[in-house]
Amino acid sequence: MKNKTFLITGVSSGLGKAFAEGALGAGHTVIGTVRKPEAAGAFEALAPGRAHAVILDVTRFDAVVSTASEIARKHGAIDVLVNNAGYGQEGILEESSMDDLRRQFETNVFAPVAMIKAVLPGMRERRSGRIVNVTSMGGFITLPGISYYCGSKFALEGISEALGKEVRPLGIFVTALAPGQFRTDWAGRSMERAPRTISDYDAIMDPIRTARQTKNGNQPGDPAKAAQALLALVESESPPTRLFLGGDALKLVGDKIESMKTEIATWQKTSLSTDFA
């Protein structure tokens, strides 16, 4: 694959770090966003001259625009945008605040869109580019206790799919990259957890929260292998609209598809009854 310039958000840990390391290992140039100055030096040390850190809070949308302009001035065209930065909000919906919801969507939905809008004009002018939005299997299947997170990833999935139809005629590909459970800090220090306040939800939420904390650090997904999947995706001449990563994701997605087929068939008569005769 021809050497490309990647812009990856959130490269200081987790999948973002693995994606950056994989791209750098393949000889590409990576501009990576970090939130803290100390993380910038550590990232650039991975590949001096090809790893370039940018300090950016992706939820500061005005700063996203100016930062993208500065990146273009310093490093030229962005070939691949990977919207990776995000986090999980765990909590029963009734126990979670509207501020929790706002922060979740600002980071997981609004920030990726802001990055896309900042980078897309250049891709459009060049009639080439790849946009990879890191969603989640939780953008297709749902689990109790992460309703805000699933909602944000469903939103990003929908935006990704519609955007892909808008820009494909312009030579730009958009893929939603949907991981299952990977061995990162997503379920650990990176996750925000709403306090428990309503005992009616104890039976459903307490075992879920305990199991997630217990399993943290033992998830089946390997971030380094996810990075290789990303590189294969970027190299493909016909990348998919969405790519699920991990056997757990494929199993849960497959189960949901079958459930949806059954439910649609069961309610088909009612669905069809709403058309004009």
Side-chain angles (χ1 to χ4, degrees):
M1 178 167 51
K2 173 187 171 184
N3 287 349
K4 297 181 182 295
T5 298
F6 285 63
L7 171 55
I8 305 176
T9 62
V11 297
S12 59
S13 64
L15 286 176
K17 182 179 180 181
F19 291 152
E21 290 175 341
L24 290 168
H28 301 295
T29 296
V30 178
I31 297 101
T33 73
V34 298
R35 290 176 63 101
K36 299 178 180 178
E38 55 267 28
F43 175 68
E44 293 186 340
L46 293 175
R50 289 190 296 112
H52 306 282
V54 175
I55 300 172
L56 176 68
D57 178 349
V58 293
T59 63
R60 288 189 55 214
F61 308 133
D62 56 340
V64 167
V65 175
S66 59
T67 299
S69 297
E70 183 66 10
I71 289 171
R73 187 185 68 80
K74 284 186 176 181
H75 305 290
I78 299 299
D79 301 303
V80 182
L81 169 64
V82 182
N83 274 313
N84 164 79
Y87 73 95
Q89 167 70 35
E90 182 194 76
I92 290 291
L93 185 144
E94 192 177 353
E95 295 178 333
S96 301
S97 70
M98 293 302 293
D99 282 342
D100 291 337
L101 179 64
R102 176 183 52 78
R103 288 193 300 271
Q104 183 76 114
F105 271 69
E106 281 185 347
T107 303
N108 289 5
V109 183
F110 301 160
V113 171
M115 294 297 301
I116 291 168
K117 288 174 72 66
V119 171
L120 190 53
M123 290 184 173
R124 176 169 48 79
E125 290 172 6
R126 295 187 301 276
R127 291 298 196 266
S128 68
R130 303 297 179 96
I131 297 171
V132 180
N133 292 325
V134 180
T135 59
S136 167
M137 66 177 179
F140 189 85
I141 63 105
T142 61
L143 296 168
I146 52 171
S147 56
Y148 285 2
Y149 177 76
C150 288
S152 72
K153 294 302 186 178
F154 266 67
L156 188 55
E157 284 265 339
I159 288 169
S160 300
E161 186 170 334
L163 173 65
K165 294 174 180 179
E166 294 172 357
V167 300
R168 177 63 191 91
L170 305 176
I172 302 164
F173 292 93
V174 182
T175 298
L177 189 64
Q181 301 173 84
F182 274 76
R183 207 164 293 182
T184 68
D185 289 328
W186 179 85
R189 65 178 179 83
S190 296
M191 176 166 276
E192 292 192 7
R193 291 180 161 89
R196 294 297 331 285
T197 57
I198 304 173
S199 61
D200 285 346
Y201 295 112
D202 289 353
I204 191 168
M205 189 59 192
D206 288 351
I208 289 173
R209 178 165 284 182
T210 299
R212 181 172 289 127
Q213 291 173 325
T214 300
K215 194 173 185 179
N216 186 42
N218 296 292
Q219 296 94 332
D222 182 344
K225 292 181 179 179
Q228 294 308 305
L230 171 68
L231 293 176
L233 174 68
V234 170
E235 187 176 4
S236 172
E237 294 183 359
S238 183
T241 301
R242 62 179 50 77
L243 176 63
F244 295 104
L245 298 182
D248 58 339
L250 288 180
K251 171 67 166 59
L252 290 170
V253 166
D255 290 347
K256 177 169 180 178
I257 290 172
E258 291 306 312
S259 176
M260 289 176 68
K261 288 180 179 178
T262 300
E263 193 169 79
I264 288 170
T266 300
W267 287 88
Q268 183 179 28
K269 184 176 180 180
T270 302
S271 297
L272 295 174
S273 72
T274 60
D275 292 341
F276 281 107

